[in-house]
């Protein structure tokens, strides 16, 4: 399972927040390269995160259209750890985002975090 983060240069803290909630693979597009407008959303993507304050309007529109076409949930936020954590938790609690085939905390329960599924 993959999360795609679009925008931002330094996302290590955001990656940690997402991996703590069960996503093992994270792809990142900075949005600064002209070729980013030609890229496609990777297979297996379960969530698209758009960091609005580090992104051009044309790339934001392209990502929105691609996510709508693929039926993927999109989380729009600034590169703020508090806002990102809050919005991600809201998506997880509402059931809009499911990692590993089960909502977080509703998997096999074999690990200490309750996230036993790896894919």
């Amino acid at each position: 399972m993959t999360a795609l983060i679009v925008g931002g240069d330094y996302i290590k803290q955001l990656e940690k927040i997402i991996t703590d909630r069960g996503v093992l693979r994270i792809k990142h597009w900075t949005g600064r390269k002209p070729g980013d407008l030609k890229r496609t959303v990777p297979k297996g993507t379960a969530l698209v995160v758009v960091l609005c304050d580090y992104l051009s309007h044309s790339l934001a529109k392209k990502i929105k259209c691609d996510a709508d076409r693929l039926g993927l949930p999109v989380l729009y936020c600034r590169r703020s750890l508090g806002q990102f954590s809050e919005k991600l938790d809201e998506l997880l609690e509402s059931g809009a985002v499911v990692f590993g085939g089960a909502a977080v905390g509703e998997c096999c329960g074999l690990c200490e975090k309750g996230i036993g599924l790896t894919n």
Side-chain angles (χ1 to χ4, degrees), residues 1 21-23 46 91-93 95-109 114-119:
M1 169 135 3
R21 285 160 175 83
V23 174
L91 277 175
L92 291 170
E93 288 171 8
V97 177
V98 177
F99 296 138
V104 172
E106 296 177 3
C107 57
C108 65
I115 306 169
L117 299 174
T118 59
N119 216 9

Side-chain angles (χ1 to χ4, degrees), residues 31-107:
R32 294 186 183 271
K33 299 175 186 170
D36 285 345
L37 279 169
K38 297 176 185 171
R39 296 177 88 172
T40 59
V41 176
K43 289 184 179 182
T45 299
L47 172 67
V48 178
V49 177
V50 177
L51 302 176
C52 299
D53 48 354
Y54 291 91
L55 198 60
S56 69
H57 288 278
S58 55
L59 184 56
K61 183 177 179 180
K62 180 206 181 312
I63 291 298
K64 181 182 183 293
C65 291
D66 287 352
D68 286 345
R69 183 175 43 81
L70 297 170
L72 297 173
V74 182
L75 188 150
Y76 296 96
C77 68
R78 298 185 318 262
R79 197 178 64 84
S80 159
L81 297 179
Q83 183 185 42
F84 177 73
S85 292
E86 183 179 317
K87 288 189 173 195
L88 182 59
D89 288 339
E90 287 174 10
L91 277 175
L92 291 170
E93 288 171 8
S94 71
V97 177
V98 177
F99 296 138
V104 172
E106 296 177 3
C107 57

Side-chain angles (χ1 to χ4, degrees), residues 22-34:
V23 174
L24 299 178
R25 286 175 279 177
I26 298 171
K27 298 289 184 178
H28 177 230
W29 301 350
T30 62
R32 294 186 183 271
K33 299 175 186 170

